[in-house]
Amino acid sequence: EIGGRAACHVCLGRALELLFGNTDFKVGSGYMLANDIASGLHNTGASMGWKTIGVATDQVALSKAQDLANAGKPVVAARLGGVNGAVRRAGHVVLIIPGTAQKYEFKDVVNGSPVVFSWGNLITPNAASFFLDRPNKFFMGCPLSATWQKPDGVGLYYKP
């Protein structure tokens, strides 16, 4: 939580705790930051029992993520924040939720410029996503492709 406001890592951590009794990303009375979760899942997730499904550019991995969520497993999509000079920006973490995977494309405005969010022909799993200070970007039950403009760098993980 930042300044009393919940961020994506808090929403994910709390959802995992409430829905699955999973406190892997809890630190004291708070939760790991999104970059720490993304890095941890990618580098040492296996030591906490998390398994890599694959990357979001792979249709097989996307389909498996939806199947695992539908089977009641905790499934997470995570991406490290980009680097701006010597500073890494905040990453983002998303919960994959039960539902139907679908192809999704939409136009939006990012930093004052129009952009198209499109993952080409990829059919993406159902997700819940929250962005700090952008409540109009919050969603629950939209395809994962509504989260990031492109699937590059997005990892998919689950806990058996």
Side-chain angles (χ1 to χ4, degrees), residues 64-87:
K64 184 174 180 182
Q66 186 65 75
D67 291 344
L68 289 163
N70 287 347
K73 303 294 183 195
V75 182
V76 173
R79 184 170 87 177
L80 283 170
V83 176
N84 185 6
V87 177

Side-chain angles (χ1 to χ4, degrees), residues 83-104:
V83 176
N84 185 6
V87 177
R88 182 169 294 280
R89 293 188 305 266
H92 192 59
V93 290
V94 175
L95 182 66
I96 304 301
I97 60 176
T100 303
Q102 52 188 302
K103 185 178 175 216
Y104 188 65

Side-chain angles (χ1 to χ4, degrees), residues 13-104:
R14 190 77 177 121
L16 289 171
E17 190 173 0
L18 290 172
L19 297 172
F20 302 100
N22 182 299
T23 57
D24 289 343
F25 306 131
K26 192 161 190 163
V27 179
S29 62
Y31 298 93
M32 295 168 62
L33 296 175
N35 276 337
D36 296 334
I37 293 171
S39 179
L41 286 169
H42 180 73
N43 295 317
T44 59
S47 68
M48 293 188 297
W50 287 85
K51 296 193 179 290
T52 300
I53 299 168
V55 293
T57 54
D58 178 14
Q59 183 60 63
V60 171
L62 291 167
S63 298
K64 184 174 180 182
Q66 186 65 75
D67 291 344
L68 289 163
N70 287 347
K73 303 294 183 195
V75 182
V76 173
R79 184 170 87 177
L80 283 170
V83 176
N84 185 6
V87 177
R88 182 169 294 280
R89 293 188 305 266
H92 192 59
V93 290
V94 175
L95 182 66
I96 304 301
I97 60 176
T100 303
Q102 52 188 302
K103 185 178 175 216
Y104 188 65

